Amino acid sequence: MKKLGWILGILLNSLLLQAQESTWNSELLPLQQLQIELQGYKNISEDYVRAQLGFKEGDHVRGKDLDSASEQLYKTGWFNELHWFTEVDSGKLKVRLQGKICPRIETFQFIGNKHFRDNELLYGMKSRVNQPMNESQLVQDLAVLKRFYQSKGYCKVAAKVRTKPSKT
């Protein structure tokens, strides 16, 4: 019987915490603490992320403000994943953001090319050095390179991407 009471107590406490968390989504609460944890490449600073959010500690926020901040961060192109963890404590909000940073393009090397300068090959590509690596864009860039070579009479051409981990 004690076990059943203990389990019911935990269940009730859990339901109360969930109810408290869900109500803050629609009401403004003061942001007491904002913790940012970044994983992956170290080319993005915590200050950069804070500048993109649109709110800071001490501001009053709603759940939709976190959604807007996620959209803004994804638009930068620097993030693969974002996860928000929230806790309401004494009417104040504590937020933790975990973000996974995309790798950046450090350089392009055209191996085996003997007929064209690198800047000619880079001209039609949209991917750029020091920008986030976007795999779907790289696939499109490879197609552009193949078409370029084919337009110059080189019918048998292969293009592929090789990546290597950054030293930073």
Side-chain angles (χ1 to χ4, degrees), residues 31-44:
L31 182 60
Q32 179 183 23
Q33 181 182 359
L34 175 60
Q35 181 182 354
I36 298 172
E37 298 172 4
L38 301 175
Q39 301 169 345
Y41 292 82
K42 303 297 182 214
N43 50 328
I44 298 294

Side-chain angles (χ1 to χ4, degrees), residues 2 10 19 28 33 57 70 83 93 96 114 147 150 160 166:
K2 278 185 177 180
I10 290 175
L28 282 169
Q33 181 182 359
E57 289 162 333
S70 290
H83 300 282
L93 185 63
R96 181 168 47 102
K114 296 178 181 135
R147 283 194 302 273
Q150 290 167 348
K160 61 184 174 181
S166 174

Side-chain angles (χ1 to χ4, degrees), residues 143-162:
V144 167
L145 283 173
K146 283 176 132 178
R147 283 194 302 273
F148 174 80
Y149 269 96
Q150 290 167 348
S151 74
K152 303 294 183 184
Y154 298 93
C155 297
K156 282 185 142 185
V157 64
K160 61 184 174 181
V161 174
R162 280 196 253 171

Side-chain angles (χ1 to χ4, degrees), residues 30-91:
L31 182 60
Q32 179 183 23
Q33 181 182 359
L34 175 60
Q35 181 182 354
I36 298 172
E37 298 172 4
L38 301 175
Q39 301 169 345
Y41 292 82
K42 303 297 182 214
N43 50 328
I44 298 294
S45 71
E46 187 177 315
D47 290 338
Y48 174 82
V49 173
R50 286 179 184 275
Q52 300 298 316
L53 293 179
F55 55 81
K56 60 188 179 314
E57 289 162 333
D59 289 350
H60 286 70
V61 295
R62 288 188 175 103
K64 67 180 182 178
D65 296 322
L66 301 184
D67 294 338
S68 297
S70 290
E71 286 178 35
Q72 182 62 34
L73 288 169
Y74 279 124
K75 282 180 187 177
T76 67
W78 283 111
F79 295 91
N80 286 336
E81 295 177 28
L82 294 169
H83 300 282
W84 294 98
F85 300 92
T86 60
E87 178 186 334
V88 178
D89 184 21
S90 302

Side-chain angles (χ1 to χ4, degrees), residues 111-167:
I111 299 168
N113 169 50
K114 296 178 181 135
H115 303 288
F116 305 103
R117 293 186 314 253
D118 286 0
N119 62 350
E120 285 180 272
L121 298 175
L122 286 169
Y123 179 74
M125 295 173 51
K126 291 186 178 177
S127 298
R128 295 287 178 248
V129 171
N130 290 322
Q131 292 300 310
M133 187 178 86
N134 179 323
E135 291 183 30
S136 62
Q137 183 60 58
L138 284 173
V139 168
Q140 292 174 25
D141 289 339
L142 288 177
V144 167
L145 283 173
K146 283 176 132 178
R147 283 194 302 273
F148 174 80
Y149 269 96
Q150 290 167 348
S151 74
K152 303 294 183 184
Y154 298 93
C155 297
K156 282 185 142 185
V157 64
K160 61 184 174 181
V161 174
R162 280 196 253 171
T163 60
K164 64 180 182 178
S166 174
K167 293 176 183 151

Side-chain angles (χ1 to χ4, degrees), residues 2-15:
K2 278 185 177 180
K3 250 187 185 175
L4 182 61
W6 187 71
I7 291 172
L8 285 174
I10 290 175
L11 211 82
L12 185 59
N13 191 32
S14 175
L15 289 173

